[in-house]
Short mmCIF file of all heavy atoms in Angstrom, two decimals:
data_model
loop_
_atom_site.label_atom_id
_atom_site.label_comp_id
_atom_site.label_asym_id
_atom_site.label_seq_id
_atom_site.Cartn_x
_atom_site.Cartn_y
_atom_site.Cartn_z
N MET A 385 0.85 -1.23 0.01
CA MET A 385 -0.03 0.00 -0.02
C MET A 385 0.92 1.23 0.01
O MET A 385 1.75 1.34 0.81
CB MET A 385 -0.91 0.04 1.31
CG MET A 385 -1.95 1.04 1.18
SD MET A 385 -3.03 1.00 2.65
CE MET A 385 -3.95 -0.53 2.43
N PRO A 386 0.69 2.14 -0.93
CA PRO A 386 1.54 3.34 -1.00
C PRO A 386 1.29 4.31 0.18
O PRO A 386 0.13 4.28 0.70
CB PRO A 386 1.15 4.07 -2.33
CG PRO A 386 -0.23 3.57 -2.66
CD PRO A 386 -0.28 2.17 -2.03
N THR A 387 2.21 5.07 0.45
CA THR A 387 2.14 6.08 1.53
C THR A 387 2.17 7.52 0.97
O THR A 387 3.02 7.73 0.13
CB THR A 387 3.25 5.88 2.61
OG1 THR A 387 3.22 4.55 3.06
CG2 THR A 387 3.03 6.87 3.74
N TYR A 388 1.31 8.27 1.40
CA TYR A 388 1.28 9.74 0.88
C TYR A 388 1.66 10.63 1.99
O TYR A 388 1.22 10.43 3.12
CB TYR A 388 -0.09 10.05 0.34
CG TYR A 388 -0.55 9.13 -0.78
CD1 TYR A 388 -1.44 8.03 -0.46
CD2 TYR A 388 -0.14 9.37 -2.05
CE1 TYR A 388 -1.79 7.17 -1.44
CE2 TYR A 388 -0.45 8.40 -3.01
CZ TYR A 388 -1.35 7.37 -2.79
OH TYR A 388 -1.69 6.49 -3.70
N GLU A 389 2.47 11.66 1.64
CA GLU A 389 2.94 12.55 2.71
C GLU A 389 2.18 13.86 2.57
O GLU A 389 2.10 14.48 1.47
CB GLU A 389 4.38 12.81 2.51
CG GLU A 389 5.04 13.44 3.71
CD GLU A 389 6.57 13.44 3.62
OE1 GLU A 389 7.11 14.18 2.74
OE2 GLU A 389 7.25 12.65 4.28
N TYR A 390 1.58 14.27 3.66
CA TYR A 390 0.82 15.56 3.68
C TYR A 390 1.48 16.54 4.67
O TYR A 390 2.17 16.07 5.58
CB TYR A 390 -0.58 15.30 4.01
CG TYR A 390 -1.38 14.67 2.94
CD1 TYR A 390 -1.34 13.31 2.77
CD2 TYR A 390 -2.24 15.40 2.22
CE1 TYR A 390 -2.13 12.72 1.73
CE2 TYR A 390 -3.04 14.85 1.24
CZ TYR A 390 -3.00 13.47 0.99
OH TYR A 390 -3.74 12.89 -0.02
N ILE A 391 1.21 17.76 4.54
CA ILE A 391 1.63 18.80 5.46
C ILE A 391 0.38 19.59 5.92
O ILE A 391 -0.42 20.02 5.03
CB ILE A 391 2.59 19.79 4.89
CG1 ILE A 391 3.93 19.03 4.47
CG2 ILE A 391 3.02 20.83 5.94
CD1 ILE A 391 4.92 19.94 3.87
N CYS A 392 0.11 19.81 7.22
CA CYS A 392 -0.91 20.61 7.62
C CYS A 392 -0.70 22.05 7.41
O CYS A 392 0.46 22.58 7.51
CB CYS A 392 -1.10 20.42 9.11
SG CYS A 392 -2.38 21.48 9.88
N ARG A 393 -1.63 22.80 6.85
CA ARG A 393 -1.60 24.16 6.50
C ARG A 393 -1.43 25.07 7.70
O ARG A 393 -0.83 26.15 7.66
CB ARG A 393 -2.80 24.67 5.69
CG ARG A 393 -2.80 24.11 4.27
CD ARG A 393 -4.10 24.58 3.60
NE ARG A 393 -4.30 23.90 2.33
CZ ARG A 393 -3.79 24.35 1.17
NH1 ARG A 393 -3.01 25.41 1.15
NH2 ARG A 393 -4.06 23.68 0.05
N TYR A 394 -1.92 24.66 8.80
CA TYR A 394 -1.95 25.46 10.06
C TYR A 394 -0.67 25.22 10.91
O TYR A 394 -0.04 26.24 11.30
CB TYR A 394 -3.18 25.17 10.85
CG TYR A 394 -4.42 25.65 10.18
CD1 TYR A 394 -5.38 24.84 9.62
CD2 TYR A 394 -4.71 27.05 10.18
CE1 TYR A 394 -6.54 25.34 8.96
CE2 TYR A 394 -5.79 27.53 9.58
CZ TYR A 394 -6.75 26.67 9.04
OH TYR A 394 -7.85 27.15 8.34
N CYS A 395 -0.35 24.01 11.23
CA CYS A 395 0.76 23.80 12.13
C CYS A 395 1.95 23.08 11.51
O CYS A 395 2.94 22.85 12.16
CB CYS A 395 0.27 23.00 13.31
SG CYS A 395 -0.29 21.29 12.99
N GLN A 396 1.91 22.98 10.14
CA GLN A 396 3.07 22.43 9.37
C GLN A 396 3.44 21.04 9.91
O GLN A 396 4.56 20.58 9.70
CB GLN A 396 4.30 23.33 9.48
CG GLN A 396 3.95 24.74 9.30
CD GLN A 396 3.33 25.15 8.00
OE1 GLN A 396 3.75 24.55 6.97
NE2 GLN A 396 2.33 25.94 8.01
N GLN A 397 2.48 20.27 10.49
CA GLN A 397 2.70 18.92 10.85
C GLN A 397 2.73 18.00 9.72
O GLN A 397 1.87 18.14 8.84
CB GLN A 397 1.64 18.53 11.86
CG GLN A 397 1.69 17.11 12.33
CD GLN A 397 2.79 16.85 13.36
OE1 GLN A 397 3.23 17.73 14.08
NE2 GLN A 397 3.30 15.57 13.38
N PHE A 398 3.75 17.11 9.73
CA PHE A 398 3.74 16.10 8.64
C PHE A 398 2.86 14.93 8.95
O PHE A 398 2.74 14.51 10.06
CB PHE A 398 5.15 15.52 8.50
CG PHE A 398 6.03 16.39 7.53
CD1 PHE A 398 6.79 17.42 8.15
CD2 PHE A 398 6.03 16.15 6.24
CE1 PHE A 398 7.60 18.19 7.28
CE2 PHE A 398 6.80 17.03 5.39
CZ PHE A 398 7.60 17.98 5.94
N LEU A 399 2.13 14.46 7.90
CA LEU A 399 1.30 13.25 8.03
C LEU A 399 1.73 12.22 7.07
O LEU A 399 1.91 12.59 5.86
CB LEU A 399 -0.17 13.57 7.79
CG LEU A 399 -0.97 14.59 8.61
CD1 LEU A 399 -0.65 16.04 8.39
CD2 LEU A 399 -2.47 14.39 8.30
N ASN A 400 1.84 11.01 7.48
CA ASN A 400 2.00 9.97 6.51
C ASN A 400 0.78 9.12 6.46
O ASN A 400 0.34 8.49 7.44
CB ASN A 400 3.20 9.00 6.90
CG ASN A 400 4.51 9.66 6.55
OD1 ASN A 400 4.70 10.16 5.48
ND2 ASN A 400 5.48 9.66 7.48
N VAL A 401 0.07 9.19 5.36
CA VAL A 401 -1.19 8.55 5.18
C VAL A 401 -1.08 7.35 4.22
O VAL A 401 -0.64 7.48 3.14
CB VAL A 401 -2.23 9.54 4.61
CG1 VAL A 401 -3.55 8.86 4.45
CG2 VAL A 401 -2.30 10.80 5.45
N MET A 402 -1.46 6.19 4.74
CA MET A 402 -1.47 5.03 3.96
C MET A 402 -2.84 4.78 3.30
O MET A 402 -3.88 4.85 4.00
CB MET A 402 -1.13 3.72 4.72
CG MET A 402 0.36 3.65 5.14
SD MET A 402 0.97 1.99 5.34
CE MET A 402 -0.15 1.36 6.59
N ALA A 403 -2.81 4.63 2.01
CA ALA A 403 -4.08 4.55 1.30
C ALA A 403 -3.88 3.74 -0.01
O ALA A 403 -2.82 3.84 -0.63
CB ALA A 403 -4.81 5.86 1.00
N THR A 404 -4.87 3.04 -0.42
CA THR A 404 -4.84 2.36 -1.81
C THR A 404 -4.99 3.37 -2.88
O THR A 404 -5.50 4.54 -2.60
CB THR A 404 -5.90 1.26 -1.94
OG1 THR A 404 -7.21 1.95 -1.75
CG2 THR A 404 -5.82 0.33 -0.77
N ILE A 405 -4.61 3.01 -4.11
CA ILE A 405 -4.82 3.92 -5.28
C ILE A 405 -6.31 4.26 -5.41
O ILE A 405 -6.66 5.38 -5.72
CB ILE A 405 -4.34 3.20 -6.54
CG1 ILE A 405 -2.87 2.85 -6.43
CG2 ILE A 405 -4.59 4.12 -7.75
CD1 ILE A 405 -1.93 4.07 -6.37
N LYS A 406 -7.15 3.34 -5.16
CA LYS A 406 -8.65 3.51 -5.31
C LYS A 406 -9.06 4.62 -4.30
O LYS A 406 -9.82 5.48 -4.65
CB LYS A 406 -9.34 2.27 -5.05
CG LYS A 406 -10.86 2.31 -5.36
CD LYS A 406 -11.37 0.97 -5.41
CE LYS A 406 -12.87 0.90 -5.69
NZ LYS A 406 -13.65 1.48 -4.55
N GLU A 407 -8.59 4.47 -3.08
CA GLU A 407 -8.97 5.40 -2.02
C GLU A 407 -8.49 6.81 -2.34
O GLU A 407 -9.11 7.86 -2.15
CB GLU A 407 -8.39 5.02 -0.69
CG GLU A 407 -9.14 3.92 0.02
CD GLU A 407 -8.50 3.39 1.31
OE1 GLU A 407 -7.28 3.39 1.40
OE2 GLU A 407 -9.22 3.06 2.17
N LYS A 408 -7.22 6.92 -2.93
CA LYS A 408 -6.72 8.20 -3.34
C LYS A 408 -7.47 8.87 -4.49
O LYS A 408 -7.77 10.07 -4.45
CB LYS A 408 -5.30 7.90 -3.81
CG LYS A 408 -4.45 9.15 -4.19
CD LYS A 408 -4.07 9.92 -2.91
CE LYS A 408 -3.04 10.97 -3.19
NZ LYS A 408 -3.53 11.99 -4.20
N GLU A 409 -7.91 8.04 -5.47
CA GLU A 409 -8.63 8.57 -6.52
C GLU A 409 -10.08 9.10 -6.10
O GLU A 409 -10.63 10.03 -6.67
CB GLU A 409 -8.86 7.49 -7.67
CG GLU A 409 -7.55 7.30 -8.42
CD GLU A 409 -7.75 6.17 -9.44
OE1 GLU A 409 -8.65 5.37 -9.42
OE2 GLU A 409 -6.84 6.05 -10.31
N GLU A 410 -10.57 8.40 -5.16
CA GLU A 410 -11.91 8.72 -4.67
C GLU A 410 -11.88 9.98 -3.78
O GLU A 410 -12.94 10.49 -3.40
CB GLU A 410 -12.50 7.55 -3.87
CG GLU A 410 -12.96 6.47 -4.79
CD GLU A 410 -13.51 5.18 -4.07
OE1 GLU A 410 -13.22 5.20 -2.79
OE2 GLU A 410 -14.05 4.31 -4.62
N GLY A 411 -10.70 10.43 -3.49
CA GLY A 411 -10.56 11.63 -2.72
C GLY A 411 -10.15 11.41 -1.22
O GLY A 411 -11.07 11.17 -0.39
N LEU A 412 -8.91 11.49 -1.10
CA LEU A 412 -8.41 11.26 0.33
C LEU A 412 -8.53 12.60 1.08
O LEU A 412 -8.21 13.62 0.61
CB LEU A 412 -6.87 10.83 0.24
CG LEU A 412 -6.36 9.87 1.29
CD1 LEU A 412 -7.18 8.65 1.43
CD2 LEU A 412 -4.94 9.50 0.94
N ASN A 413 -9.06 12.54 2.28
CA ASN A 413 -9.25 13.69 3.08
C ASN A 413 -8.70 13.48 4.51
O ASN A 413 -9.45 13.38 5.42
CB ASN A 413 -10.62 14.12 3.12
CG ASN A 413 -10.76 15.58 3.69
OD1 ASN A 413 -9.83 16.31 3.71
ND2 ASN A 413 -11.99 15.89 4.07
N PRO A 414 -7.37 13.41 4.63
CA PRO A 414 -6.80 13.13 5.97
C PRO A 414 -6.92 14.32 6.86
O PRO A 414 -6.99 15.46 6.34
CB PRO A 414 -5.33 12.81 5.70
CG PRO A 414 -4.99 13.53 4.46
CD PRO A 414 -6.27 13.53 3.66
N SER A 415 -6.89 14.09 8.18
CA SER A 415 -6.89 15.24 9.01
C SER A 415 -5.68 15.24 9.92
O SER A 415 -5.06 14.18 10.19
CB SER A 415 -8.17 15.11 9.96
OG SER A 415 -8.14 13.93 10.71
N CYS A 416 -5.24 16.42 10.32
CA CYS A 416 -4.02 16.60 11.11
C CYS A 416 -4.16 16.06 12.52
O CYS A 416 -5.10 16.28 13.20
CB CYS A 416 -3.74 18.14 11.19
SG CYS A 416 -2.31 18.50 12.25
N PRO A 417 -3.18 15.22 12.91
CA PRO A 417 -3.26 14.60 14.29
C PRO A 417 -3.02 15.66 15.37
O PRO A 417 -3.34 15.42 16.48
CB PRO A 417 -2.11 13.60 14.30
CG PRO A 417 -1.10 14.06 13.23
CD PRO A 417 -1.98 14.75 12.22
N GLU A 418 -2.36 16.76 14.97
CA GLU A 418 -2.03 17.77 15.99
C GLU A 418 -3.29 18.65 16.33
O GLU A 418 -3.62 18.94 17.44
CB GLU A 418 -0.91 18.62 15.47
CG GLU A 418 0.49 17.90 15.59
CD GLU A 418 0.89 17.69 17.09
OE1 GLU A 418 0.83 18.62 17.83
OE2 GLU A 418 1.29 16.49 17.35
N CYS A 419 -3.79 19.29 15.22
CA CYS A 419 -4.88 20.31 15.42
C CYS A 419 -6.20 19.86 14.88
O CYS A 419 -7.21 20.53 15.15
CB CYS A 419 -4.51 21.64 14.76
SG CYS A 419 -4.40 21.54 12.99
N GLY A 420 -6.25 18.64 14.28
CA GLY A 420 -7.49 18.08 13.84
C GLY A 420 -8.05 18.77 12.51
O GLY A 420 -9.21 18.46 12.15
N SER A 421 -7.25 19.58 11.90
CA SER A 421 -7.76 20.27 10.72
C SER A 421 -7.73 19.48 9.49
O SER A 421 -6.92 18.59 9.37
CB SER A 421 -6.81 21.51 10.50
OG SER A 421 -7.11 22.08 9.28
N ASN A 422 -8.66 19.58 8.55
CA ASN A 422 -8.67 18.89 7.34
C ASN A 422 -7.91 19.67 6.26
O ASN A 422 -7.78 19.30 5.12
CB ASN A 422 -10.09 18.67 6.81
CG ASN A 422 -10.73 17.54 7.62
OD1 ASN A 422 -10.03 16.62 8.14
ND2 ASN A 422 -12.01 17.62 7.74
N GLU A 423 -7.44 20.83 6.60
CA GLU A 423 -6.67 21.71 5.66
C GLU A 423 -5.24 21.22 5.49
O GLU A 423 -4.26 21.84 6.07
CB GLU A 423 -6.73 23.18 6.11
CG GLU A 423 -8.13 23.70 6.13
CD GLU A 423 -8.65 23.94 4.66
OE1 GLU A 423 -7.85 24.34 3.80
OE2 GLU A 423 -9.79 23.65 4.42
N VAL A 424 -5.07 20.08 4.83
CA VAL A 424 -3.75 19.56 4.60
C VAL A 424 -3.48 19.51 3.06
O VAL A 424 -4.36 19.46 2.33
CB VAL A 424 -3.58 18.17 5.23
CG1 VAL A 424 -3.69 18.19 6.75
CG2 VAL A 424 -4.63 17.16 4.62
N ARG A 425 -2.26 19.62 2.75
CA ARG A 425 -1.84 19.52 1.34
C ARG A 425 -0.78 18.44 1.16
O ARG A 425 0.01 18.22 2.11
CB ARG A 425 -1.31 20.84 0.81
CG ARG A 425 -0.08 21.33 1.52
CD ARG A 425 0.21 22.77 1.00
NE ARG A 425 1.26 23.40 1.82
CZ ARG A 425 2.57 23.21 1.68
NH1 ARG A 425 3.04 22.43 0.82
NH2 ARG A 425 3.41 23.80 2.48
N GLN A 426 -0.74 17.83 -0.01
CA GLN A 426 0.20 16.75 -0.18
C GLN A 426 1.57 17.41 -0.45
O GLN A 426 1.67 18.47 -1.11
CB GLN A 426 -0.20 15.96 -1.41
CG GLN A 426 0.40 14.57 -1.46
CD GLN A 426 -0.25 13.68 -2.49
OE1 GLN A 426 -1.21 14.03 -3.13
NE2 GLN A 426 0.26 12.44 -2.59
N SER A 427 2.57 16.86 0.19
CA SER A 427 3.89 17.67 0.26
C SER A 427 4.79 17.33 -0.95
O SER A 427 5.43 18.27 -1.45
CB SER A 427 4.61 17.31 1.55
OG SER A 427 5.01 16.00 1.54
N PHE A 428 5.04 16.07 -1.29
CA PHE A 428 6.11 15.74 -2.17
C PHE A 428 5.94 16.26 -3.57
O PHE A 428 6.91 16.88 -4.18
CB PHE A 428 6.44 14.28 -2.12
CG PHE A 428 5.37 13.40 -2.82
CD1 PHE A 428 5.44 13.22 -4.17
CD2 PHE A 428 4.35 12.87 -2.12
CE1 PHE A 428 4.46 12.40 -4.82
CE2 PHE A 428 3.39 12.09 -2.70
CZ PHE A 428 3.42 11.91 -4.03
N SER A 429 4.79 16.18 -4.28
CA SER A 429 4.62 16.54 -5.62
C SER A 429 4.84 18.03 -5.79
O SER A 429 5.51 18.42 -6.75
CB SER A 429 3.21 16.12 -6.03
OG SER A 429 2.22 16.76 -5.39
N GLY A 430 4.27 18.83 -4.94
CA GLY A 430 4.45 20.22 -5.09
C GLY A 430 5.89 20.74 -5.06
O GLY A 430 6.31 21.56 -5.84
N VAL A 431 6.65 20.19 -4.13
CA VAL A 431 8.07 20.55 -4.03
C VAL A 431 8.81 20.22 -5.30
O VAL A 431 9.54 20.96 -5.86
CB VAL A 431 8.64 19.87 -2.79
CG1 VAL A 431 10.17 20.11 -2.79
CG2 VAL A 431 8.00 20.36 -1.49
N PHE A 432 8.56 19.00 -5.76
CA PHE A 432 9.42 18.55 -6.91
C PHE A 432 9.05 19.27 -8.17
O PHE A 432 9.89 19.61 -8.94
CB PHE A 432 9.23 17.04 -7.10
CG PHE A 432 10.08 16.17 -6.22
CD1 PHE A 432 9.46 15.39 -5.24
CD2 PHE A 432 11.50 16.25 -6.26
CE1 PHE A 432 10.29 14.57 -4.37
CE2 PHE A 432 12.25 15.50 -5.39
CZ PHE A 432 11.63 14.74 -4.47
N PHE A 433 7.75 19.46 -8.39
CA PHE A 433 7.37 20.20 -9.63
C PHE A 433 7.78 21.69 -9.60
O PHE A 433 8.18 22.23 -10.56
CB PHE A 433 5.80 20.16 -9.72
CG PHE A 433 5.29 18.83 -10.34
CD1 PHE A 433 4.40 18.06 -9.58
CD2 PHE A 433 5.82 18.35 -11.50
CE1 PHE A 433 3.95 16.90 -10.15
CE2 PHE A 433 5.42 17.17 -12.02
CZ PHE A 433 4.45 16.43 -11.32
N ALA A 434 7.84 22.23 -8.43
CA ALA A 434 8.24 23.67 -8.34
C ALA A 434 9.76 23.81 -8.65
O ALA A 434 10.20 24.66 -9.43
CB ALA A 434 8.03 24.19 -6.95
N MET A 435 10.55 22.82 -8.18
CA MET A 435 12.03 22.88 -8.42
C MET A 435 12.27 22.59 -9.91
O MET A 435 13.14 23.28 -10.52
CB MET A 435 12.72 21.78 -7.64
CG MET A 435 12.82 22.18 -6.14
SD MET A 435 13.35 20.76 -5.14
CE MET A 435 15.00 20.45 -5.82
N LYS A 436 11.54 21.65 -10.48
CA LYS A 436 11.79 21.27 -11.94
C LYS A 436 11.43 22.47 -12.71
O LYS A 436 12.09 22.82 -13.65
CB LYS A 436 10.86 20.10 -12.17
CG LYS A 436 11.46 19.13 -13.21
CD LYS A 436 10.61 17.81 -13.15
CE LYS A 436 10.80 17.02 -14.39
NZ LYS A 436 9.91 15.89 -14.43
N GLY A 437 10.21 23.07 -12.49
CA GLY A 437 9.80 24.12 -13.36
C GLY A 437 10.70 25.45 -13.26
O GLY A 437 10.96 25.98 -14.36
N ALA A 438 11.20 25.68 -12.11
CA ALA A 438 12.10 26.82 -11.97
C ALA A 438 13.40 26.65 -12.73
O ALA A 438 13.90 27.59 -13.37
CB ALA A 438 12.34 27.16 -10.51
N GLY A 439 13.98 25.42 -12.62
CA GLY A 439 15.24 25.19 -13.27
C GLY A 439 15.15 25.24 -14.79
O GLY A 439 15.96 25.80 -15.49
N SER A 440 14.09 24.64 -15.30
CA SER A 440 14.02 24.58 -16.77
C SER A 440 13.69 25.94 -17.36
O SER A 440 14.12 26.28 -18.42
CB SER A 440 12.90 23.55 -17.22
OG SER A 440 11.63 23.97 -16.73
N SER A 441 12.82 26.75 -16.65
CA SER A 441 12.52 28.09 -17.20
C SER A 441 13.72 28.98 -17.17
O SER A 441 13.84 29.78 -18.07
CB SER A 441 11.34 28.62 -16.47
OG SER A 441 11.73 28.91 -15.10
N SER A 442 14.53 28.92 -16.10
CA SER A 442 15.68 29.87 -16.05
C SER A 442 16.74 29.52 -17.11
O SER A 442 17.31 30.44 -17.67
CB SER A 442 16.32 29.73 -14.62
OG SER A 442 16.92 28.57 -14.37
N SER A 443 16.95 28.24 -17.30
CA SER A 443 17.91 27.82 -18.37
C SER A 443 17.46 28.23 -19.70
O SER A 443 18.26 28.56 -20.63
CB SER A 443 18.26 26.28 -18.26
OG SER A 443 17.08 25.59 -18.63
N TYR A 444 16.13 28.15 -19.97
CA TYR A 444 15.57 28.49 -21.28
C TYR A 444 15.76 29.95 -21.52
O TYR A 444 16.21 30.40 -22.61
CB TYR A 444 14.14 28.08 -21.32
CG TYR A 444 13.41 28.54 -22.56
CD1 TYR A 444 13.61 27.82 -23.68
CD2 TYR A 444 12.55 29.63 -22.55
CE1 TYR A 444 12.99 28.23 -24.89
CE2 TYR A 444 11.93 30.01 -23.72
CZ TYR A 444 12.14 29.28 -24.89
OH TYR A 444 11.50 29.74 -26.03
N SER A 445 15.48 30.75 -20.55
CA SER A 445 15.54 32.24 -20.74
C SER A 445 16.92 32.72 -20.89
O SER A 445 17.26 33.57 -21.71
CB SER A 445 14.91 32.99 -19.56
OG SER A 445 15.63 32.72 -18.41
N SER A 446 17.96 32.07 -20.26
CA SER A 446 19.32 32.46 -20.36
C SER A 446 19.86 32.13 -21.79
O SER A 446 20.63 32.86 -22.35
CB SER A 446 20.16 31.85 -19.27
OG SER A 446 20.23 30.41 -19.44
N SER A 447 19.46 30.94 -22.29
CA SER A 447 19.96 30.51 -23.55
C SER A 447 19.36 31.38 -24.71
O SER A 447 20.08 31.71 -25.62
CB SER A 447 19.63 29.08 -23.83
OG SER A 447 18.23 28.86 -23.93
N SER A 448 18.13 31.77 -24.62
CA SER A 448 17.55 32.57 -25.59
C SER A 448 18.07 33.99 -25.53
O SER A 448 18.23 34.76 -26.53
CB SER A 448 16.00 32.66 -25.44
OG SER A 448 15.65 33.31 -24.24
N GLY A 449 18.49 34.47 -24.29
CA GLY A 449 19.00 35.78 -24.20
C GLY A 449 20.39 35.98 -24.70
O GLY A 449 20.78 36.97 -25.10
N SER A 450 21.20 34.84 -24.73
CA SER A 450 22.52 34.89 -25.15
C SER A 450 22.64 35.07 -26.65
O SER A 450 23.66 35.64 -27.16
CB SER A 450 23.35 33.60 -24.68
OG SER A 450 22.78 32.48 -25.35
N SER A 451 21.67 34.58 -27.36
CA SER A 451 21.66 34.81 -28.81
C SER A 451 21.18 36.17 -29.17
O SER A 451 20.03 36.49 -29.25
CB SER A 451 20.78 33.73 -29.54
OG SER A 451 19.43 33.87 -29.09
N SER A 452 22.17 37.16 -29.26
CA SER A 452 21.85 38.51 -29.38
C SER A 452 21.39 38.85 -30.86
O SER A 452 20.57 39.74 -31.08
CB SER A 452 23.02 39.44 -29.03
OG SER A 452 24.16 39.05 -29.80
N SER A 453 21.95 38.20 -31.87
CA SER A 453 21.58 38.56 -33.22
C SER A 453 20.74 37.47 -33.84
O SER A 453 21.07 36.35 -33.98
CB SER A 453 22.94 38.61 -34.08
OG SER A 453 22.59 38.92 -35.44
N CYS A 454 19.50 37.90 -34.09
CA CYS A 454 18.49 36.91 -34.63
C CYS A 454 18.44 37.12 -36.16
O CYS A 454 17.91 36.25 -36.88
CB CYS A 454 17.15 37.04 -34.04
SG CYS A 454 16.33 38.63 -34.25
N GLY A 455 18.81 38.26 -36.75
CA GLY A 455 18.74 38.58 -38.14
C GLY A 455 17.40 38.89 -38.68
O GLY A 455 17.22 39.22 -39.90
N SER A 456 16.37 38.83 -37.87
CA SER A 456 14.98 39.03 -38.40
C SER A 456 14.34 40.30 -37.83
O SER A 456 13.50 40.89 -38.38
CB SER A 456 14.15 37.83 -38.11
OG SER A 456 14.05 37.56 -36.79
N CYS A 457 14.87 40.69 -36.63
CA CYS A 457 14.25 41.90 -36.00
C CYS A 457 14.83 43.16 -36.52
O CYS A 457 15.90 43.21 -37.14
CB CYS A 457 14.32 41.78 -34.48
SG CYS A 457 15.97 41.88 -33.81
N GLN A 458 14.30 44.31 -36.07
CA GLN A 458 14.76 45.58 -36.65
C GLN A 458 16.12 45.92 -36.19
O GLN A 458 16.87 46.53 -36.90
CB GLN A 458 13.74 46.72 -36.17
CG GLN A 458 12.34 46.65 -36.84
CD GLN A 458 12.49 46.96 -38.34
OE1 GLN A 458 13.39 47.69 -38.77
NE2 GLN A 458 11.50 46.45 -39.11
N SER A 459 16.51 45.57 -34.94
CA SER A 459 17.79 45.97 -34.36
C SER A 459 18.96 45.15 -34.95
O SER A 459 20.07 45.64 -34.94
CB SER A 459 17.76 45.78 -32.84
OG SER A 459 17.53 44.40 -32.58
N CYS A 460 18.63 44.00 -35.57
CA CYS A 460 19.73 43.23 -36.16
C CYS A 460 20.01 43.55 -37.64
O CYS A 460 21.08 43.18 -38.11
CB CYS A 460 19.34 41.74 -36.05
SG CYS A 460 19.25 41.11 -34.36
N LYS A 461 19.13 44.27 -38.24
CA LYS A 461 19.29 44.50 -39.71
C LYS A 461 20.21 45.80 -39.92
O LYS A 461 20.27 46.63 -39.02
CB LYS A 461 18.00 44.74 -40.37
CG LYS A 461 17.25 43.37 -40.59
CD LYS A 461 15.90 43.61 -41.24
CE LYS A 461 15.22 42.21 -41.36
NZ LYS A 461 13.86 42.38 -41.80
ZN1 ZN N 1320 -2.40 20.80 12.11
#
């Protein structure tokens, strides 16, 4: 059974929730053991996607900026 990691929005408490794929698809709604809040978010996917997106976008903008002469715009002619 896979384990999903959540973080409470209020007290930043980590939750490890064990659930089947079916339970996850049907909508998992774990509650924080510390404050009892249902306002939790899944932790791992957000972190990884944010890092991946920031790295690829910065490298893309730097490579396009280095090519100063495009030959098609007004400043290059
Ligand atoms: Zn909490």
Side-chain angles (χ1 to χ4, degrees):
M385 190 180 289
T387 307
Y388 303 96
E389 195 170 70
Y390 287 81
I391 300 176
C392 176
R393 289 178 189 272
Y394 288 108
C395 63
Q396 315 303 317
Q397 174 76 26
F398 276 91
L399 297 73
N400 281 314
V401 180
M402 287 207 305
T404 62
I405 300 294
K406 189 169 179 290
E407 284 176 324
K408 184 74 167 59
E409 285 177 347
E410 287 174 350
L412 211 54
N413 193 21
S415 58
C416 175
E418 286 294 311
C419 66
S421 170
N422 286 330
E423 294 291 320
V424 296
R425 60 185 169 86
Q426 204 166 356
S427 68
F428 68 86
S429 61
V431 173
F432 279 116
F433 280 125
M435 286 170 61
K436 215 168 161 185
S440 63
S441 68
S442 67
S443 65
Y444 174 75
S445 63
S446 67
S447 65
S448 67
S450 64
S451 60
S452 58
S453 176
C454 65
S456 61
C457 67
Q458 289 293 333
S459 61
C460 293
K461 284 176 181 173

